[in-house]
Amino acid sequence: MKQNTHQQRTDNPWLGLMIGNSRLHWALFVDNTLNSAWDTDHLSESDMQQLAKTNTIPLSPSSSRPIFLSPNLPITLVLASVVPSQTKLWQTYPNVRLITLNNIPLKGMYPTLGIDRAIALYGAGKTWGFPILVIDAGTALTFTGADANQCLVGGAILPGLSLQFTSLGQNTGQLPLLETRLITSLPPRFAMNTTEAIQSGVIYTLLAGIKDFIQAWLSLFPESKIAITGGDGNFFQNFLQTHIPEITEKLILEKNLIFLGMEKILIGNN
Ligand SMILES: Nc1ncnc2c1ncn2[C@@H]1O[C@H](COP(=O)(O)OP(=O)(O)OP(=O)(O)O)[C@@H](O)[C@H]1O
Ligand SMILES: CC(C)(CO)[C@@H](O)C(=O)NCCC(=O)O
Ligand SMILES: [K+]
């Protein structure tokens, strides 16, 4: 039966790796359950040499509990990547399974759709039901929606929070480079200093844009849930709750959405 083949595939521990544009996102699954998730920088040259030589992955969720991987029976690495140059580096690893759009049971996808968007969308729909809208607040901020038939409706891509600060900081003579993690409260809308003026412009414009996309989505699919993920997911969820309290009950923050999606894809019951 289908059930058994699934169990064979998923009962052993496996490591999920999502190669994002800024960093690597990892998750360890043990007994079909997400055991731990963590982020690292992209791997260095020497890390990659170690991987090629020993088939061990020089990373661990915590230094006190390293993952020791036997070269004879390497842990399955379930890989998805939006950075083609990084994908290639992992092809030396013997037990790697690359997830591509072909593995995702969504209809109507276009060929260049980002695999992270497709996995997160599928994971969210399988978890909270279709139709669904996913907001991924990462390096890029994306909206990706699917209808009740698990068919891609489409979405939008714009520079994420840090990238907006970076583009101002790096492409102007006088503007400082602001750090997202230092922002703990909303700035005044009409700011009287440079730092808060940048924060106001970027944050209120992003919030207004997100609100507008959510409202446009809900006018098409009033019963839809909206899942938020990505490095800035917390940030936006907090502010959206105060900004548009009426959608609070529809908003779901799930930091590990990409890994929920990988798990659903491995289980394979469409
Ligand atoms: N330690 C961190 N390093 C980098 N970005 C961080 C960190 N903590 C929070 N962030 C925020 O996360 C955002 C990047 O999100 P994320 O890590 O999801 O991006 P990513 O690696 O490009 O993944 P994706 O490709 O899925 O967007 C940045 O805008 C930044 O504000
Ligand atoms: C939009 C990003 C950068 C978000 O990580 C990624 O999904 C990507 O590279 N997408 C390809 C283009 C598209 O999704 O239409
Ligand atoms: K990205």
Side-chain angles (χ1 to χ4, degrees), residues 1-269:
M1 264 174 47
K2 221 175 178 187
Q3 194 81 32
N4 291 334
T5 42
H6 300 158
Q7 278 177 358
Q8 275 175 7
R9 240 188 291 159
T10 53
D11 272 357
N12 293 328
W14 57 277
L15 203 51
L17 169 58
M18 175 69 227
I19 302 180
N21 278 290
S22 308
R23 46 190 181 150
L24 305 180
H25 310 281
W26 300 86
L28 176 64
F29 280 79
V30 181
D31 297 329
N32 302 314
T33 307
L34 195 151
N35 174 286
S36 46
W38 66 102
D39 301 314
T40 68
D41 290 337
H42 286 144
L43 289 201
S44 68
E45 201 58 43
S46 69
D47 287 337
M48 288 317 298
Q49 281 164 7
Q50 183 187 333
L51 176 72
K53 245 191 266 165
T54 62
N55 293 337
T56 59
I57 296 174
L59 296 163
S60 63
S62 70
S63 50
S64 60
R65 194 165 51 79
I67 308 170
F68 289 108
L69 303 170
S70 155
N72 302 322
L73 189 65
I75 192 170
T76 299
L77 181 68
V78 179
L79 174 68
S81 172
V82 292
V83 188
S85 59
Q86 282 276 317
T87 321
K88 279 202 289 197
L89 299 177
W90 290 92
Q91 258 135 27
T92 50
Y93 188 74
N95 197 2
V96 62
R97 181 172 163 184
L98 181 67
I99 299 189
T100 67
L101 290 182
N102 292 330
N103 302 120
I104 299 171
L106 290 171
K107 298 174 203 124
M109 291 185 291
Y110 57 92
T112 61
L113 178 70
I115 192 68
D116 54 346
R117 300 176 65 194
I119 296 173
L121 183 63
Y122 184 67
K126 289 310 253 185
T127 307
W128 298 291
F130 291 92
I132 187 92
L133 179 70
V134 172
I135 303 174
D136 186 345
T139 307
L141 192 148
T142 60
F143 301 92
T144 316
D147 66 17
N149 297 318
Q150 302 195 22
C151 184
L152 179 70
V153 171
I157 302 170
L158 63 147
L161 188 62
S162 292
L163 198 52
Q164 298 214 15
F165 291 134
T166 306
S167 65
L168 284 177
Q170 290 183 347
N171 295 286
T172 58
Q174 297 205 119
L175 299 184
L177 179 55
L178 301 189
E179 282 190 55
T180 308
R181 62 184 175 83
L182 300 179
I183 303 167
T184 49
S185 59
L186 287 177
R189 167 84 65 166
F190 297 102
M192 284 293 288
N193 63 68
T194 302
T195 296
E196 288 187 330
I198 295 171
Q199 291 178 354
S200 171
V202 169
I203 293 171
Y204 288 113
T205 307
L206 272 171
L207 283 173
I210 293 173
K211 178 177 175 176
D212 190 62
F213 267 92
I214 289 176
Q215 285 170 342
W217 180 259
L218 289 177
S219 71
L220 292 170
F221 304 101
E223 302 306 320
S224 175
K225 292 271 196 278
I226 296 155
I228 303 190
T229 190
D232 296 317
N234 273 335
F235 180 90
F236 284 114
Q237 203 229 14
N238 285 337
F239 291 129
L240 283 170
Q241 278 178 347
T242 34
H243 222 65
I244 359 177
E246 62 274 20
I247 60 151
T248 300
E249 74 195 52
K250 290 183 167 294
L251 282 183
I252 302 156
L253 178 70
E254 176 51 70
K255 302 297 283 183
N256 295 315
L257 184 52
I258 200 84
F259 298 115
L260 298 189
M262 281 189 184
E263 192 190 19
K264 304 279 183 207
I265 289 159
L266 289 190
I267 292 167
N269 56 340

